[in-house]
Amino acid sequence: MSASTPTRNLALDLVRVTEAAALAAGRYMGRGDKIAADRAAVEAMRWVLNSIEMDAVVVIGEGEKDEAPMLYNGERLGLGVPPELDLAVDPIDGTRPLAMGLWNSICTVALAPRGSMFNPGPALYMEKIAVGAEARDVIDLNAPVRDNLEKIARAKDERVEDLTVVILDRPRHEALIREVRACGARIRLIPDGDVAGALMTALPETGMDVLMGIGGSPEGVIAACAMRCLGGNLQGRLVARTPEEEIRLREQGYDLQRVLTLDDLVSSNDVFFAATGITSGDLLRGVDYFGNGATTDSLVMRGLTGTVRRIQATHRLDKLGRISPIAY
């Protein structure tokens, strides 16, 4: 077995990473300080990631290194021993909701064998469509909204009117919202957090059927890792915000017309994903503090086996404080 092939369920290590980040960042709920919240999550993530037996390189992070404490693209984490892995991190998916005390803020992290994750480079935005397992083979990002909704409904043995479409609440989606409404489908607008939005489409208990619209391209790669584990599907297409950005992306070899399939976004099934709730939402419960303790709610997944675990943990913060430099 090669050094680039994971040999154990690293998702069970990753949940320690997201739990630590959620516990640290959760203290900033509603305090209006996005930077402090992000810093707390990043510092906790880095400390735990560096305790894991792996040689990981950040492919999806905070961009090239500028100043600490961001987890930056190209940073190496872990103990520097095999397996060799690509690492995708979103310390807080939903920084604004966390800072404002709103819903659906989570910590996420994913691992895959070295060289298997798509690197969007300077492309910050991506048009996406994501669905669960029942409709994984019928979506087409190039198709009209109505065609996709009708095919998804048939695949799920439902009517279009039964579907709920998750869309980020942004002015750029006004036309998309009109199209979905004209088709008769229901809409769930979310203020932020399209990693969680994509995941919800693959988890029947959430009641969400499809994610549509433009969101973050790094978040698209992270969500694709989770979809690998859940049996769902995600397609994406890079979006340039300005003519200057389009020129820069084309000069770097990015094809803005190409539909990126799940295989393009993460080419290996041997992928690991973990997410922990910071504030409560449709996907996960948030951190709940009490006395010297706290509870967390997490999802842990492994693509190779398709195993999805939900882990509800109780943490003794007084004991953690004796062995950890992180302020929980």
Side-chain angles (χ1 to χ4, degrees):
M1 189 170 288
S2 68
S4 62
T5 303
T7 58
R8 66 183 187 278
N9 190 353
L10 289 165
L12 297 176
D13 291 298
L14 291 187
V15 73
R16 295 172 44 240
V17 176
T18 56
E19 285 175 346
L23 288 168
R27 294 293 189 185
Y28 292 90
M29 185 181 79
R31 292 170 60 182
D33 193 338
K34 295 192 294 184
I35 294 174
D38 201 39
R39 180 182 297 112
V42 165
E43 289 176 348
M45 271 195 166
R46 178 179 282 117
W47 185 73
V48 182
L49 283 166
N50 276 327
S51 73
I52 299 174
E53 290 185 1
M54 65 179 182
D55 179 3
V57 175
V58 178
V59 175
I60 302 297
E62 302 284 347
E64 280 62 39
K65 184 179 183 180
D66 42 22
E67 57 184 71
M70 298 298 102
L71 289 158
Y72 59 90
N73 294 345
E75 182 176 359
R76 300 184 82 97
L77 293 164
L79 295 176
V81 298
E84 297 174 354
L85 303 165
D86 286 344
L87 174 63
V89 295
D90 193 350
I92 303 176
D93 179 41
T95 310
R96 188 182 68 86
L98 172 59
M100 300 302 294
L102 302 174
W103 299 83
N104 282 327
S105 179
I106 65 174
C107 298
T108 66
V109 63
L111 288 170
R114 182 72 52 82
S116 62
M117 280 188 193
F118 176 74
N119 186 346
L124 298 180
Y125 287 88
M126 178 186 290
E127 182 184 2
K128 307 170 197 174
I129 183 170
V131 292
E134 292 174 297
R136 61 164 290 119
D137 296 323
V138 303
I139 58 171
D140 180 0
L141 192 59
N142 283 326
V145 168
R146 181 176 293 276
D147 287 0
N148 274 306
L149 292 180
E150 289 177 349
K151 289 178 180 178
I152 293 167
R154 283 197 297 270
K156 295 171 71 74
D157 195 24
E158 297 177 358
R159 300 176 304 158
V160 171
E161 291 81 0
D162 298 326
L163 300 179
T164 299
V165 184
V166 182
I167 303 174
L168 276 172
D169 188 6
R170 298 288 187 275
R172 62 178 177 262
H173 288 146
E174 289 178 359
L176 172 61
I177 290 170
R178 286 197 298 270
E179 285 188 78
V180 173
R181 286 174 175 166
C183 294
R186 306 193 307 164
I187 295 175
R188 177 62 179 273
L189 291 177
I190 57 174
D192 292 276
D194 60 339
V195 173
L199 264 64
M200 287 190 291
T201 69
L203 296 167
E205 64 270 21
T206 67
M208 309 301 164
D209 298 288
V210 53
L211 170 81
M212 290 182 167
I214 296 172
S217 54
E219 289 84 353
V221 177
I222 294 173
C225 292
M227 286 303 198
R228 275 283 193 191
C229 303
L230 291 165
N233 197 7
L234 187 149
Q235 295 178 3
R237 179 165 41 220
L238 299 180
V239 174
R241 295 171 295 174
T242 64
E244 294 76 18
E245 184 174 316
E246 180 175 350
I247 292 171
R248 186 165 65 252
L249 289 170
R250 294 190 186 281
E251 288 177 344
Q252 294 188 28
Y254 289 97
D255 183 353
L256 302 185
Q257 303 304 314
R258 177 187 175 193
V259 173
L260 299 164
T261 67
L262 194 65
D263 286 337
D264 294 321
L265 294 169
V266 57
S267 60
S268 174
N269 276 324
D270 203 0
V271 63
F272 306 91
F273 175 89
T276 299
I278 312 175
T279 63
S280 293
D282 299 291
L283 185 65
L284 292 163
R285 288 187 54 81
V287 179
D288 183 21
Y289 300 96
F290 59 90
N292 282 323
T295 59
T296 55
D297 185 22
S298 304
L299 282 171
V300 185
M301 311 177 195
R302 185 178 190 185
L304 196 62
T305 61
T307 302
V308 179
R309 292 179 171 90
R310 189 167 193 130
I311 297 178
Q312 295 176 323
T314 300
H315 308 268
R316 285 285 303 274
L317 301 184
D318 53 341
K319 289 190 173 184
L320 284 174
R322 296 171 196 157
I323 60 173
S324 169
I326 305 302
Y328 293 118

